[in-house]
Amino acid sequence: MRLDKFLKISRIIKRRSVAKEVADKGRIKINGKLAKSSSDVKVGDQLDIQFGNKTMEIKVAELHESTKKEDAQKMYEVLSETRVQNSSEID
């Protein structure tokens, strides 16, 4: 499954166009390698995603062509989630 489609269906990122933009800016890695929006995602892959002030590490658990809102979280497992502080926020 394409990376941008996975991010949208799993509801990690709400819109596919936003998922494509994040990936194409080099903010997503699949198994440690930079990924594009068209990159292939498979069960067991580890994704590192940087958005805004947050970095998420997730593991792909399931792939579905479509899913209900309540089942979307079953598609991935959050390994870690960290907030990144902006330099302007540091005293």
Side-chain angles (χ1 to χ4, degrees), residues 37-73:
S37 57
S38 60
S39 296
D40 222 24
V41 175
K42 298 180 280 307
V43 173
D45 282 351
Q46 183 174 324
L47 307 180
D48 297 320
I49 308 166
Q50 296 175 335
F51 20 7
N53 60 350
K54 183 166 76 168
T55 301
M56 283 180 78
E57 238 178 83
I58 64 165
K59 185 173 185 178
V60 179
E62 301 174 9
L63 294 176
H64 301 291
E65 287 301 311
S66 64
T67 184
K68 295 178 182 158
K69 187 176 182 181
E70 51 274 5
D71 294 335
Q73 243 180 339

Side-chain angles (χ1 to χ4, degrees), residues 2-89:
R2 283 177 56 113
L3 174 60
D4 55 352
K5 186 173 182 181
F6 172 79
L7 293 171
K8 179 193 179 296
I9 291 173
S10 65
R11 290 173 170 79
I12 293 170
I13 297 179
K14 302 288 184 241
R15 290 189 201 97
R16 192 164 174 179
S17 59
V18 176
K20 180 181 182 340
E21 188 179 322
V22 171
D24 291 344
K25 284 186 176 177
R27 296 186 178 177
I28 301 178
K29 292 181 181 177
I30 299 176
N31 299 324
K33 296 180 183 164
L34 274 180
K36 293 185 178 177
S37 57
S38 60
S39 296
D40 222 24
V41 175
K42 298 180 280 307
V43 173
D45 282 351
Q46 183 174 324
L47 307 180
D48 297 320
I49 308 166
Q50 296 175 335
F51 20 7
N53 60 350
K54 183 166 76 168
T55 301
M56 283 180 78
E57 238 178 83
I58 64 165
K59 185 173 185 178
V60 179
E62 301 174 9
L63 294 176
H64 301 291
E65 287 301 311
S66 64
T67 184
K68 295 178 182 158
K69 187 176 182 181
E70 51 274 5
D71 294 335
Q73 243 180 339
K74 294 178 186 171
M75 292 180 68
Y76 63 93
E77 173 188 340
V78 177
L79 303 174
S80 74
E81 191 172 337
T82 52
R83 296 188 83 66
V84 179
Q85 283 190 329
N86 293 335
S87 57
S88 61
E89 293 176 10

